[in-house]
Amino acid sequence: MRFMVITKATAESEAGVLPATEDFDTMGNFIQEMVDAGVLLDAGGLQSSAKGTRIYFDGDEKTVVDGPFTETKELIGGYYLVEMKSLEECVEWFKRCPIQPGVGEPTNIEIRRVFHAEDFGESFTAEQQEAVEKRRAKVAGNS
């Protein structure tokens, strides 16, 4: 099963404060453990929302709004894409994640299972599944 693990932004990350050298080392060690275990598919940190844009959709109307966005606790700071045997295994891995909360503010990470073809039932045809797998293989070949 694939899981998207979402880390939250903090006031510091939104202000552009970069992690200390030791934090890079600590996180790098955790990431290396996942690489060595063969469970990490991708990971990355996101720049502050000041460098981002949102597109709002309302029927045919589309509105583009540039950041920054004010609700820091709702913003994503980074992500991991992992392949694990179960949600429980993923939880155990990420309970050890060396997340650095912002000063004086608790934080959390969110774990969400990625949809798989079988989750969609009969409405997702074999032809559609094959097309998705071809696109996925092409994307993987471009990485």
Side-chain angles (χ1 to χ4, degrees):
M1 288 181 235
R2 288 185 178 170
F3 295 93
M4 175 67 69
V5 180
I6 303 163
T7 61
K8 304 298 177 151
T10 64
E12 287 80 13
S13 67
E14 278 296 292
V17 176
L18 298 176
T21 301
E22 305 81 41
D23 297 332
F24 282 113
D25 290 339
T26 303
M27 187 59 72
N29 291 337
F30 178 70
I31 290 171
Q32 189 61 52
E33 283 183 59
M34 289 191 293
V35 168
D36 293 345
V39 298
L40 183 66
L41 302 174
D42 193 17
L46 302 177
Q47 299 239 355
S48 79
S49 69
K51 297 180 179 179
T53 299
R54 287 184 178 165
I55 304 172
Y56 292 91
F57 297 84
D58 185 6
D60 290 337
E61 187 175 327
K62 289 132 186 109
T63 305
V64 177
V65 177
D66 292 330
F69 307 113
T70 56
E71 282 297 317
T72 301
K73 66 183 180 180
E74 299 297 325
L75 296 174
I76 296 171
Y79 69 94
Y80 299 86
L81 182 60
V82 296
E83 180 120 14
M84 305 271 178
K85 293 180 183 106
S86 66
L87 174 60
E88 294 75 20
E89 179 186 19
C90 192
V91 167
E92 288 307 311
W93 267 100
F94 282 91
K95 281 169 47 177
R96 300 183 309 113
C97 185
I99 295 291
Q100 297 296 318
V103 176
E105 61 181 289
T107 192
N108 66 79
I109 60 174
E110 183 175 334
I111 301 173
R112 309 262 305 267
R113 187 168 177 259
V114 174
F115 273 109
H116 295 266
E118 62 271 11
D119 296 327
F120 296 107
E122 294 177 15
S123 64
F124 191 46
T125 67
E127 292 81 17
Q128 291 168 325
Q129 291 178 37
E130 184 178 330
V132 167
E133 288 306 316
K134 284 181 181 178
R135 284 191 296 269
R136 184 175 284 147
K138 186 174 183 177
V139 168
N142 291 333
S143 315

